[in-house]
Amino acid sequence: SPLHVGWLSLIFLRERPSPLIFPMLLIGFLGVWLVADPTNVINAGTIAGALCGLFAGQAYIFVRKLRTTDHPDAIVMAFAVFSALVSLPLALPYWVWPTTSQWGLLLSVGVTSTIAQALMTRAYRDGMASIIASIGYLTVVFGMLSGVFFFDETILGTRLIGASFIV
């Protein structure tokens, strides 16, 4: 999404970041590509990830635009309500009642994602969209480290190079 926010902020927000931000966004994108494993470029997951980035980029632009009319907490609440309404019909055909431990994990996901959404909304309220988005590339590095610590994943050499491009 950072790459999409960069060009979308020019068009929809009329922001004029430093000319250096776009080469930096491209270097960050190259880093993400290396972390994602360039030998397995096109598959359902990478296509979904690319579309996710586009839609997330658009959402960040909308959040930035709403800063002039809405309080950040109202934006977060509206996001949660509309997300639930849109997701419900998609989830119902596959619904399975969670176990007690799964409810705990779902609660944790809800709390941490709400905190993340509130912080992201405030960041986009106060900073230029392309700069905030470029900092967002760090989520790839944090995700990679989470994979190592929580899922015993290994980090390939190309992923380390990609992480260094991102940072």
Side-chain angles (χ1 to χ4, degrees):
S1 66
L3 195 57
H4 297 296
V5 169
W7 64 268
L8 288 170
S9 67
L10 283 172
I11 296 169
F12 294 106
L13 300 175
R14 307 274 187 244
E15 290 184 352
R16 299 288 177 240
S18 162
L20 292 176
I21 197 72
F22 292 102
M24 298 308 289
L25 283 170
L26 289 173
I27 290 169
F29 181 76
L30 176 61
V32 171
W33 181 69
L34 290 170
V35 167
D37 185 9
T39 62
N40 190 14
V41 175
I42 299 182
N43 59 42
T46 56
I47 292 169
L51 289 172
C52 173
L54 177 62
F55 285 111
Q58 291 172 336
Y60 297 151
I61 295 299
F62 296 146
V63 166
R64 179 91 172 123
K65 277 195 110 38
L66 286 170
R67 80 185 190 284
T68 60
T69 58
D70 293 276
H71 190 275
D73 294 337
I75 295 169
V76 172
M77 178 59 129
F79 173 77
V81 169
F82 287 118
S83 293
L85 291 174
V86 170
S87 299
L88 185 62
L90 300 172
L92 281 178
Y94 308 100
W95 181 258
V96 176
W97 281 102
T99 65
T100 305
S101 63
Q102 289 170 331
W103 276 118
L105 288 171
L106 289 169
L107 177 64
S108 298
V109 168
V111 169
T112 56
S113 61
T114 300
I115 292 168
Q117 183 70 32
L119 292 171
M120 185 274 304
T121 301
R122 282 167 174 73
Y124 276 94
R125 175 193 63 191
D126 298 333
M128 287 186 72
S130 57
I131 293 170
I132 300 302
S134 64
I135 294 168
Y137 273 135
L138 287 174
T139 59
V140 174
V141 175
F142 295 141
M144 187 173 63
L145 293 174
S146 295
V148 169
F149 292 119
F150 297 116
F151 303 108
D152 295 323
E153 293 178 356
T154 57
I155 300 177
L156 304 172
T158 57
R159 290 185 174 159
L160 286 175
I161 294 168
S164 70
F165 281 12
I166 292 168
V167 174

